[in-house]
Amino acid sequence: ERLIEAIVAALTQDGNLLNEVERAAIEAQIQSLKVVCNSQDSSAIHKAVDALNLATEAFAAKRMDASVRKALAGQELDKLKL
């Protein structure tokens, strides 16, 4: 449940970084996980969590890129301490 809540919060905050297909893929995996969470099949739950994690990898990368861009906005490269 926490994973789903975290992803839904991320989608609310940064869903604009995704196109319709990417968002639909993530939402489909969220629904799949919700369905199997009602079962007692730990293997199916584990597979659904893995599938959701895989579906959100590109989204996580886009969020990180956006955060870095925002943090570096207006900064001069030669003045950054790297």
Side-chain angles (χ1 to χ4, degrees), residues 5-74:
E5 289 172 5
I7 293 170
V8 169
L11 287 171
T12 300
Q13 182 176 353
D14 295 318
N16 61 307
L17 299 173
L18 299 171
N19 64 40
E20 291 180 25
V21 173
E22 292 167 325
R23 187 178 186 110
I26 292 170
E27 290 175 347
Q29 292 303 327
I30 289 171
Q31 290 306 314
S32 294
L33 180 55
K34 285 180 178 180
V35 168
V36 297
C37 279
N38 293 325
S39 74
Q40 299 298 319
D41 187 346
S42 62
S43 177
I45 293 169
H46 183 66
K47 287 178 184 177
V49 167
D50 287 346
L52 181 53
N53 283 331
L54 183 62
T56 58
E57 281 181 356
F59 179 43
K62 287 181 180 189
R63 292 185 81 208
M64 181 65 72
D65 289 346
S67 293
V68 170
R69 271 194 306 276
K70 183 178 178 183
L72 296 178

